[in-house]
mmCIF file of all heavy atoms in Angstrom:
data_model
loop_
_atom_site.group_PDB
_atom_site.id
_atom_site.type_symbol
_atom_site.label_atom_id
_atom_site.label_comp_id
_atom_site.label_asym_id
_atom_site.label_seq_id
_atom_site.Cartn_x
_atom_site.Cartn_y
_atom_site.Cartn_z
ATOM 1 N N SER A 1 244.627 -47.690 72.862
ATOM 2 C CA SER A 1 245.504 -46.556 73.120
ATOM 3 C C SER A 1 245.013 -45.324 72.384
ATOM 4 O O SER A 1 245.199 -44.208 72.841
ATOM 5 C CB SER A 1 246.932 -46.889 72.702
ATOM 6 O OG SER A 1 246.979 -47.301 71.353
ATOM 7 N N ALA A 2 244.354 -45.518 71.235
ATOM 8 C CA ALA A 2 243.847 -44.370 70.486
ATOM 9 C C ALA A 2 242.771 -43.650 71.275
ATOM 10 O O ALA A 2 242.756 -42.417 71.330
ATOM 11 C CB ALA A 2 243.290 -44.830 69.133
ATOM 12 N N PHE A 3 241.859 -44.387 71.890
ATOM 13 C CA PHE A 3 240.791 -43.750 72.666
ATOM 14 C C PHE A 3 241.352 -42.999 73.859
ATOM 15 O O PHE A 3 240.791 -42.009 74.319
ATOM 16 C CB PHE A 3 239.769 -44.799 73.127
ATOM 17 C CG PHE A 3 238.895 -45.294 72.001
ATOM 18 C CD1 PHE A 3 238.769 -46.651 71.752
ATOM 19 C CD2 PHE A 3 238.221 -44.402 71.181
ATOM 20 C CE1 PHE A 3 237.972 -47.110 70.720
ATOM 21 C CE2 PHE A 3 237.423 -44.856 70.140
ATOM 22 C CZ PHE A 3 237.300 -46.219 69.915
ATOM 23 N N ALA A 4 242.508 -43.462 74.365
ATOM 24 C CA ALA A 4 243.117 -42.780 75.506
ATOM 25 C C ALA A 4 243.656 -41.422 75.132
ATOM 26 O O ALA A 4 243.928 -40.596 75.985
ATOM 27 C CB ALA A 4 244.243 -43.646 76.084
ATOM 28 N N GLN A 5 243.805 -41.156 73.812
ATOM 29 C CA GLN A 5 244.379 -39.898 73.360
ATOM 30 C C GLN A 5 243.312 -38.924 72.866
ATOM 31 O O GLN A 5 243.623 -37.957 72.202
ATOM 32 C CB GLN A 5 245.370 -40.170 72.215
ATOM 33 C CG GLN A 5 246.595 -40.954 72.632
ATOM 34 C CD GLN A 5 247.517 -40.129 73.487
ATOM 35 O OE1 GLN A 5 247.594 -38.921 73.336
ATOM 36 N NE2 GLN A 5 248.207 -40.770 74.399
ATOM 37 N N GLN A 6 242.060 -39.189 73.146
ATOM 38 C CA GLN A 6 241.009 -38.334 72.611
ATOM 39 C C GLN A 6 241.075 -36.922 73.148
ATOM 40 O O GLN A 6 240.664 -35.983 72.499
ATOM 41 C CB GLN A 6 239.638 -38.947 72.912
ATOM 42 C CG GLN A 6 239.335 -40.160 72.027
ATOM 43 C CD GLN A 6 237.967 -40.729 72.291
ATOM 44 O OE1 GLN A 6 237.276 -40.301 73.211
ATOM 45 N NE2 GLN A 6 237.557 -41.694 71.502
ATOM 46 N N SER A 7 241.600 -36.749 74.318
ATOM 47 C CA SER A 7 241.724 -35.409 74.870
ATOM 48 C C SER A 7 243.186 -35.029 74.961
ATOM 49 O O SER A 7 244.048 -35.886 75.027
ATOM 50 C CB SER A 7 241.095 -35.352 76.274
ATOM 51 O OG SER A 7 241.766 -36.226 77.140
ATOM 52 N N GLY A 8 243.455 -33.741 74.947
ATOM 53 C CA GLY A 8 244.822 -33.265 75.050
ATOM 54 C C GLY A 8 245.520 -33.242 73.705
ATOM 55 O O GLY A 8 244.923 -33.444 72.657
ATOM 56 N N GLU A 9 246.818 -32.993 73.741
ATOM 57 C CA GLU A 9 247.595 -32.879 72.520
ATOM 58 C C GLU A 9 247.805 -34.238 71.873
ATOM 59 O O GLU A 9 247.801 -35.276 72.529
ATOM 60 C CB GLU A 9 248.950 -32.248 72.833
ATOM 61 C CG GLU A 9 248.850 -30.811 73.321
ATOM 62 C CD GLU A 9 250.223 -30.211 73.548
ATOM 63 O OE1 GLU A 9 251.229 -30.928 73.378
ATOM 64 O OE2 GLU A 9 250.262 -29.016 73.883
ATOM 65 N N ALA A 10 248.012 -34.222 70.537
ATOM 66 C CA ALA A 10 248.284 -35.444 69.807
ATOM 67 C C ALA A 10 249.595 -36.058 70.282
ATOM 68 O O ALA A 10 250.550 -35.356 70.622
ATOM 69 C CB ALA A 10 248.351 -35.157 68.308
ATOM 70 N N ALA A 11 249.626 -37.387 70.306
ATOM 71 C CA ALA A 11 250.850 -38.083 70.695
ATOM 72 C C ALA A 11 251.939 -37.821 69.663
ATOM 73 O O ALA A 11 251.667 -37.625 68.479
ATOM 74 C CB ALA A 11 250.572 -39.575 70.813
ATOM 75 N N ARG A 12 253.184 -37.813 70.124
ATOM 76 C CA ARG A 12 254.350 -37.663 69.243
ATOM 77 C C ARG A 12 255.247 -38.864 69.519
ATOM 78 O O ARG A 12 255.798 -39.005 70.617
ATOM 79 C CB ARG A 12 255.068 -36.346 69.525
ATOM 80 C CG ARG A 12 254.249 -35.143 69.070
ATOM 81 C CD ARG A 12 254.715 -33.838 69.692
ATOM 82 N NE ARG A 12 256.012 -33.358 69.234
ATOM 83 C CZ ARG A 12 256.214 -32.683 68.098
ATOM 84 N NH1 ARG A 12 255.192 -32.448 67.280
ATOM 85 N NH2 ARG A 12 257.411 -32.252 67.764
ATOM 86 N N VAL A 13 255.375 -39.712 68.509
ATOM 87 C CA VAL A 13 256.044 -41.003 68.679
ATOM 88 C C VAL A 13 257.127 -41.140 67.617
ATOM 89 O O VAL A 13 256.937 -40.738 66.461
ATOM 90 C CB VAL A 13 255.039 -42.169 68.542
ATOM 91 C CG1 VAL A 13 255.734 -43.504 68.800
ATOM 92 C CG2 VAL A 13 253.867 -41.978 69.494
ATOM 93 N N ALA A 14 258.263 -41.705 68.004
ATOM 94 C CA ALA A 14 259.361 -41.871 67.054
ATOM 95 C C ALA A 14 260.049 -43.208 67.261
ATOM 96 O O ALA A 14 260.105 -43.748 68.371
ATOM 97 C CB ALA A 14 260.372 -40.737 67.209
ATOM 98 N N LEU A 15 260.582 -43.730 66.174
ATOM 99 C CA LEU A 15 261.401 -44.941 66.181
ATOM 100 C C LEU A 15 262.726 -44.603 65.505
ATOM 101 O O LEU A 15 262.744 -44.092 64.382
ATOM 102 C CB LEU A 15 260.701 -46.068 65.412
ATOM 103 C CG LEU A 15 261.522 -47.342 65.165
ATOM 104 C CD1 LEU A 15 261.874 -48.031 66.480
ATOM 105 C CD2 LEU A 15 260.759 -48.306 64.241
ATOM 106 N N VAL A 16 263.832 -44.852 66.196
ATOM 107 C CA VAL A 16 265.161 -44.573 65.648
ATOM 108 C C VAL A 16 265.980 -45.853 65.709
ATOM 109 O O VAL A 16 266.210 -46.410 66.789
ATOM 110 C CB VAL A 16 265.880 -43.455 66.428
ATOM 111 C CG1 VAL A 16 267.293 -43.253 65.880
ATOM 112 C CG2 VAL A 16 265.089 -42.155 66.347
ATOM 113 N N ILE A 17 266.422 -46.316 64.545
ATOM 114 C CA ILE A 17 267.247 -47.524 64.440
ATOM 115 C C ILE A 17 268.559 -47.125 63.779
ATOM 116 O O ILE A 17 268.559 -46.557 62.684
ATOM 117 C CB ILE A 17 266.548 -48.612 63.600
ATOM 118 C CG1 ILE A 17 265.204 -48.994 64.235
ATOM 119 C CG2 ILE A 17 267.444 -49.846 63.458
ATOM 120 C CD1 ILE A 17 264.326 -49.852 63.336
ATOM 121 N N ALA A 18 269.675 -47.412 64.439
ATOM 122 C CA ALA A 18 270.992 -47.057 63.902
ATOM 123 C C ALA A 18 271.881 -48.290 63.918
ATOM 124 O O ALA A 18 272.382 -48.687 64.968
ATOM 125 C CB ALA A 18 271.610 -45.927 64.721
ATOM 126 N N ASN A 19 272.071 -48.884 62.772
ATOM 127 C CA ASN A 19 272.903 -50.081 62.633
ATOM 128 C C ASN A 19 274.193 -49.724 61.906
ATOM 129 O O ASN A 19 274.170 -49.327 60.740
ATOM 130 C CB ASN A 19 272.153 -51.175 61.859
ATOM 131 C CG ASN A 19 271.140 -51.895 62.729
ATOM 132 O OD1 ASN A 19 271.106 -51.694 63.944
ATOM 133 N ND2 ASN A 19 270.311 -52.735 62.129
ATOM 134 N N GLU A 20 275.280 -49.874 62.604
ATOM 135 C CA GLU A 20 276.597 -49.502 62.063
ATOM 136 C C GLU A 20 277.539 -50.682 61.927
ATOM 137 O O GLU A 20 278.259 -50.805 60.928
ATOM 138 C CB GLU A 20 277.236 -48.453 62.986
ATOM 139 C CG GLU A 20 278.649 -48.065 62.618
ATOM 140 C CD GLU A 20 279.186 -46.949 63.502
ATOM 141 O OE1 GLU A 20 278.401 -46.052 63.877
ATOM 142 O OE2 GLU A 20 280.399 -46.968 63.802
ATOM 143 N N ALA A 21 277.538 -51.588 62.917
ATOM 144 C CA ALA A 21 278.603 -52.586 63.058
ATOM 145 C C ALA A 21 278.358 -53.848 62.235
ATOM 146 O O ALA A 21 278.386 -54.972 62.748
ATOM 147 C CB ALA A 21 278.780 -52.938 64.537
ATOM 148 N N TYR A 22 278.130 -53.690 60.923
ATOM 149 C CA TYR A 22 278.036 -54.843 60.028
ATOM 150 C C TYR A 22 279.445 -55.384 59.800
ATOM 151 O O TYR A 22 280.319 -54.640 59.334
ATOM 152 C CB TYR A 22 277.421 -54.440 58.693
ATOM 153 C CG TYR A 22 275.988 -53.978 58.770
ATOM 154 C CD1 TYR A 22 275.687 -52.635 58.958
ATOM 155 C CD2 TYR A 22 274.931 -54.877 58.631
ATOM 156 C CE1 TYR A 22 274.373 -52.191 59.021
ATOM 157 C CE2 TYR A 22 273.612 -54.451 58.689
ATOM 158 C CZ TYR A 22 273.336 -53.104 58.889
ATOM 159 O OH TYR A 22 272.034 -52.670 58.947
ATOM 160 N N PRO A 23 279.702 -56.646 60.112
ATOM 161 C CA PRO A 23 281.073 -57.169 59.960
ATOM 162 C C PRO A 23 281.616 -57.048 58.542
ATOM 163 O O PRO A 23 282.803 -56.800 58.344
ATOM 164 C CB PRO A 23 280.934 -58.641 60.377
ATOM 165 C CG PRO A 23 279.727 -58.677 61.263
ATOM 166 C CD PRO A 23 278.787 -57.648 60.704
ATOM 167 N N GLN A 24 280.745 -57.180 57.547
ATOM 168 C CA GLN A 24 281.207 -57.160 56.161
ATOM 169 C C GLN A 24 281.076 -55.791 55.496
ATOM 170 O O GLN A 24 281.642 -55.580 54.423
ATOM 171 C CB GLN A 24 280.415 -58.188 55.340
ATOM 172 C CG GLN A 24 280.652 -59.624 55.754
ATOM 173 C CD GLN A 24 279.736 -60.570 55.004
ATOM 174 O OE1 GLN A 24 278.662 -60.912 55.476
ATOM 175 N NE2 GLN A 24 280.163 -60.986 53.825
ATOM 176 N N ALA A 25 280.340 -54.887 56.094
ATOM 177 C CA ALA A 25 280.110 -53.590 55.427
ATOM 178 C C ALA A 25 279.727 -52.546 56.464
ATOM 179 O O ALA A 25 278.582 -52.088 56.524
ATOM 180 C CB ALA A 25 279.017 -53.724 54.370
ATOM 181 N N ARG A 26 280.672 -52.171 57.283
ATOM 182 C CA ARG A 26 280.432 -51.197 58.354
ATOM 183 C C ARG A 26 279.979 -49.854 57.773
ATOM 184 O O ARG A 26 280.461 -49.423 56.715
ATOM 185 C CB ARG A 26 281.712 -50.997 59.158
ATOM 186 C CG ARG A 26 281.551 -50.114 60.389
ATOM 187 C CD ARG A 26 282.872 -50.000 61.139
ATOM 188 N NE ARG A 26 282.719 -49.252 62.361
ATOM 189 C CZ ARG A 26 282.358 -49.795 63.526
ATOM 190 N NH1 ARG A 26 282.129 -51.092 63.601
ATOM 191 N NH2 ARG A 26 282.234 -49.047 64.609
ATOM 192 N N ILE A 27 279.067 -49.184 58.463
ATOM 193 C CA ILE A 27 278.604 -47.852 58.060
ATOM 194 C C ILE A 27 279.119 -46.851 59.089
ATOM 195 O O ILE A 27 278.534 -46.678 60.162
ATOM 196 C CB ILE A 27 277.066 -47.789 57.971
ATOM 197 C CG1 ILE A 27 276.550 -48.858 57.018
ATOM 198 C CG2 ILE A 27 276.635 -46.400 57.510
ATOM 199 C CD1 ILE A 27 275.025 -48.932 56.962
ATOM 200 N N ALA A 28 280.220 -46.221 58.774
ATOM 201 C CA ALA A 28 280.851 -45.310 59.730
ATOM 202 C C ALA A 28 279.915 -44.157 60.081
ATOM 203 O O ALA A 28 279.333 -43.524 59.197
ATOM 204 C CB ALA A 28 282.155 -44.763 59.150
ATOM 205 N N GLY A 29 279.773 -43.902 61.368
ATOM 206 C CA GLY A 29 279.000 -42.758 61.839
ATOM 207 C C GLY A 29 277.515 -42.984 61.984
ATOM 208 O O GLY A 29 276.792 -42.084 62.405
ATOM 209 N N ALA A 30 277.016 -44.177 61.668
ATOM 210 C CA ALA A 30 275.571 -44.409 61.727
ATOM 211 C C ALA A 30 275.028 -44.299 63.145
ATOM 212 O O ALA A 30 273.955 -43.728 63.372
ATOM 213 C CB ALA A 30 275.232 -45.781 61.131
ATOM 214 N N VAL A 31 275.774 -44.834 64.115
ATOM 215 C CA VAL A 31 275.297 -44.783 65.503
ATOM 216 C C VAL A 31 275.282 -43.342 66.013
ATOM 217 O O VAL A 31 274.309 -42.896 66.642
ATOM 218 C CB VAL A 31 276.162 -45.686 66.403
ATOM 219 C CG1 VAL A 31 275.906 -45.388 67.873
ATOM 220 C CG2 VAL A 31 275.857 -47.157 66.120
ATOM 221 N N ALA A 32 276.349 -42.610 65.752
ATOM 222 C CA ALA A 32 276.382 -41.210 66.179
ATOM 223 C C ALA A 32 275.249 -40.421 65.526
ATOM 224 O O ALA A 32 274.616 -39.577 66.173
ATOM 225 C CB ALA A 32 277.732 -40.588 65.824
ATOM 226 N N GLN A 33 274.984 -40.704 64.262
ATOM 227 C CA GLN A 33 273.891 -40.033 63.573
ATOM 228 C C GLN A 33 272.556 -40.375 64.220
ATOM 229 O O GLN A 33 271.708 -39.504 64.458
ATOM 230 C CB GLN A 33 273.867 -40.457 62.108
ATOM 231 C CG GLN A 33 272.909 -39.664 61.253
ATOM 232 C CD GLN A 33 273.490 -38.332 60.851
ATOM 233 O OE1 GLN A 33 274.400 -38.281 60.057
ATOM 234 N NE2 GLN A 33 272.955 -37.255 61.386
ATOM 235 N N GLY A 34 272.366 -41.654 64.530
ATOM 236 C CA GLY A 34 271.123 -42.070 65.167
ATOM 237 C C GLY A 34 270.919 -41.416 66.521
ATOM 238 O O GLY A 34 269.798 -41.007 66.864
ATOM 239 N N ARG A 35 271.989 -41.306 67.293
ATOM 240 C CA ARG A 35 271.876 -40.657 68.605
ATOM 241 C C ARG A 35 271.504 -39.188 68.463
ATOM 242 O O ARG A 35 270.712 -38.653 69.243
ATOM 243 C CB ARG A 35 273.191 -40.797 69.367
ATOM 244 C CG ARG A 35 273.480 -42.224 69.813
ATOM 245 C CD ARG A 35 274.855 -42.363 70.447
ATOM 246 N NE ARG A 35 275.128 -43.736 70.843
ATOM 247 C CZ ARG A 35 276.293 -44.172 71.306
ATOM 248 N NH1 ARG A 35 277.297 -43.307 71.449
ATOM 249 N NH2 ARG A 35 276.466 -45.437 71.628
ATOM 250 N N ALA A 36 272.086 -38.519 67.459
ATOM 251 C CA ALA A 36 271.755 -37.114 67.241
ATOM 252 C C ALA A 36 270.292 -36.951 66.849
ATOM 253 O O ALA A 36 269.607 -36.033 67.316
ATOM 254 C CB ALA A 36 272.664 -36.528 66.157
ATOM 255 N N VAL A 37 269.799 -37.846 66.012
ATOM 256 C CA VAL A 37 268.392 -37.798 65.617
ATOM 257 C C VAL A 37 267.500 -38.059 66.822
ATOM 258 O O VAL A 37 266.517 -37.339 67.060
ATOM 259 C CB VAL A 37 268.113 -38.815 64.494
ATOM 260 C CG1 VAL A 37 266.611 -38.939 64.237
ATOM 261 C CG2 VAL A 37 268.833 -38.403 63.214
ATOM 262 N N ALA A 38 267.824 -39.087 67.594
ATOM 263 C CA ALA A 38 267.003 -39.414 68.766
ATOM 264 C C ALA A 38 266.981 -38.266 69.764
ATOM 265 O O ALA A 38 265.933 -37.943 70.341
ATOM 266 C CB ALA A 38 267.532 -40.692 69.433
ATOM 267 N N GLN A 39 268.127 -37.636 69.975
ATOM 268 C CA GLN A 39 268.193 -36.508 70.907
ATOM 269 C C GLN A 39 267.340 -35.343 70.423
ATOM 270 O O GLN A 39 266.629 -34.702 71.207
ATOM 271 C CB GLN A 39 269.642 -36.071 71.064
ATOM 272 C CG GLN A 39 269.839 -34.928 72.051
ATOM 273 C CD GLN A 39 271.292 -34.510 72.172
ATOM 274 O OE1 GLN A 39 272.112 -34.828 71.320
ATOM 275 N NE2 GLN A 39 271.616 -33.801 73.233
ATOM 276 N N THR A 40 267.401 -35.057 69.129
ATOM 277 C CA THR A 40 266.611 -33.959 68.575
ATOM 278 C C THR A 40 265.119 -34.250 68.679
ATOM 279 O O THR A 40 264.326 -33.372 69.047
ATOM 280 C CB THR A 40 267.005 -33.730 67.097
ATOM 281 O OG1 THR A 40 268.391 -33.376 67.039
ATOM 282 C CG2 THR A 40 266.182 -32.616 66.476
ATOM 283 N N LEU A 41 264.710 -35.466 68.373
ATOM 284 C CA LEU A 41 263.296 -35.841 68.469
ATOM 285 C C LEU A 41 262.819 -35.801 69.915
ATOM 286 O O LEU A 41 261.722 -35.311 70.208
ATOM 287 C CB LEU A 41 263.079 -37.227 67.866
ATOM 288 C CG LEU A 41 263.291 -37.340 66.355
ATOM 289 C CD1 LEU A 41 263.294 -38.805 65.917
ATOM 290 C CD2 LEU A 41 262.198 -36.585 65.604
#
């Protein structure tokens, strides 16, 4: 895949993981935050 990118603009790649629904320790707003980050990226 690297050789396929030799021409043109550099690839822009992102990974967004948003885990909120932990039964023992929920993180309020994590999913909404992740969606906002993913949308911006």
